[in-house]
Amino acid sequence: MSAVTGEPAVREAGTAGLTPPAAADLDRLLLIRHFESALLRLFGDGLLSGTTHTCLGQEHVPVALNPLLREDDFTFSHHRGHGHFLARYGDEAGALLAEIMGRQGALCDGVGGSQHLYHRTFMSTGVQGESLPVAVGMALRLRRAGHGALACAYLGDGTWGEGSVYEALNLAALWHAPLLVVVENNGIAQSTPTERGMAGTIAGRVAAFGIPYLRIDSIDLAAVRGELAGPVAAVREGSFPLVVEFVTRRLGPHSKGDDTRGEDELRRARAAGWYERYAAAFPDRFAAADGFWRRYVDDLVAEVSARPPAYWTVR
């Protein structure tokens, strides 16, 4: 059966070949990559407080999805959400960095920090499993408004150990919520391989609720977008939930410097990632864009670092 009908479906995007990325897509990918890399450097230099979780290796997921989302769609993110934000609001990179650094011009006056953001129709939280029940409620509200908007909620594979996920999916299926659930399965929950902490599969758990399901194992933005455009449109038109599982690779640590994986495993993950593959497939174009965004983020870090502390920190 197909996802368009609202009945369970399992499909998989291919991985062969790469479509040349649009300039805007490549720009956004590289902005996120260098933004996240800069955060790790700032932590290493002792210039950031608290914690942060980067999305290195997973940048292609929100970049592929962003053109399929409307301005009035709501996005609910998690602890590893900088890329989700920048995919939608790349022109607000300075405000996001200021939020993380506690500097003036911050998105939330420096109160939210890295994990707890609120901006327009974007919200994130560091509490595992918290976003999905809220996303279901928002999706139902959007359905009642009748404008075809949806709620998009991001989950990691580790969050499928939270009971709130299943309560939310149950209500979403019963009450026909226009909800897009994006699962970034990077194969490791903090330091525990997913297979050691999850019995069965995400597909099997979704099927128990009769919810349509797609599996994406590709870093080709055009291929991913082509696979998802129809099902996402159907969620709007038919008002039902859809779960999309992306097979991803987390290149950075869980948080700052706490990576327990060996160099061989990390090397294989990097070789399969979008950054290395796009660089090899389109070397001249990639190198020019990569250099530009590396310099852009370096300049942004210097500018934000020179700002005074956010107002709330000095009251």
Side-chain angles (χ1 to χ4, degrees):
M1 309 300 289
S2 72
V4 176
T5 65
E7 298 178 10
V10 178
R11 288 183 283 164
E12 184 169 346
T15 57
L18 281 177
T19 308
D25 287 338
L26 185 58
D27 286 346
R28 200 53 54 93
L29 285 170
L30 291 168
L31 167 62
I32 300 170
R33 169 58 59 100
H34 293 300
F35 186 96
E36 297 287 67
S37 297
L39 292 184
L40 293 182
R41 291 197 301 273
L42 287 167
F43 263 112
D45 293 340
L47 298 176
L48 290 185
S49 302
T51 189
T52 195
H53 305 76
T54 67
C55 68
L56 293 168
Q58 303 176 188
E59 300 94 334
H60 63 289
V61 175
V63 173
L65 285 170
N66 188 56
L68 304 180
L69 298 178
R70 302 186 341 193
E71 187 175 350
D72 56 348
D73 290 337
F74 277 73
T75 300
F76 295 85
S77 184
H78 49 60
H79 61 294
R80 203 176 300 282
H82 308 146
H84 305 154
F85 179 88
L86 292 173
R88 294 206 73 176
Y89 305 114
D91 56 343
E92 302 277 6
L96 175 60
L97 183 59
E99 181 65 34
I100 297 169
M101 297 188 73
R103 302 290 178 169
Q104 287 189 8
L107 284 172
C108 306
D109 293 328
V111 176
S114 172
Q115 300 181 74
H116 300 99
L117 303 174
Y118 172 68
H119 182 68
R120 300 181 190 171
T121 58
F122 182 95
M123 283 151 277
S124 67
T125 176
V127 180
Q128 293 297 305
E130 181 183 33
S131 288
L132 194 55
V134 181
V136 172
M138 179 55 70
L140 292 169
R141 179 179 178 183
L142 294 172
R143 180 189 175 194
R144 291 186 64 185
H147 301 308
L150 59 77
C152 174
Y154 287 91
L155 301 179
D157 50 287
T159 309
W160 290 78
E162 297 288 338
S164 59
V165 169
Y166 304 100
E167 294 174 359
L169 290 176
N170 187 58
L171 287 182
L174 286 174
W175 294 350
H176 306 287
L179 175 70
L180 175 62
V181 181
V182 180
V183 184
E184 296 168 307
N185 187 347
N186 57 31
I188 186 169
Q190 190 162 341
S191 59
T192 304
T194 302
E195 63 269 17
R196 295 187 182 180
M198 175 183 288
T201 64
I202 291 172
R205 296 183 181 204
V206 173
F209 296 97
I211 293 176
Y213 164 88
L214 299 174
R215 181 177 185 268
I216 304 291
D217 187 3
S218 175
I219 52 89
D220 188 309
L221 298 181
V224 172
R225 222 167 267 159
E227 182 76 2
L228 290 180
V232 171
V235 169
R236 299 184 189 282
E237 297 164 7
S239 190
F240 60 84
L242 168 67
V243 175
V244 181
E245 179 183 2
F246 281 83
V247 178
T248 64
R249 299 155 188 88
R250 194 192 82 202
L251 301 184
H254 170 70
S255 169
K256 298 176 286 186
D258 59 354
D259 206 331
T260 58
R261 295 170 294 174
E263 181 54 38
D264 285 347
E265 183 178 355
L266 291 172
R267 178 183 51 78
R268 290 192 297 272
R270 286 192 294 268
W274 68 267
Y275 186 90
E276 284 74 7
R277 291 183 60 191
Y278 275 125
F282 316 105
D284 294 339
R285 182 179 165 211
F286 186 94
D290 191 50
F292 173 86
W293 288 104
R294 190 185 301 271
R295 293 188 297 273
Y296 176 90
V297 171
D298 286 346
D299 291 344
L300 188 67
V301 169
E303 188 272 318
V304 173
S305 298
R307 296 183 191 179
Y311 174 68
W312 78 272
T313 66
V314 296
R315 279 188 292 182

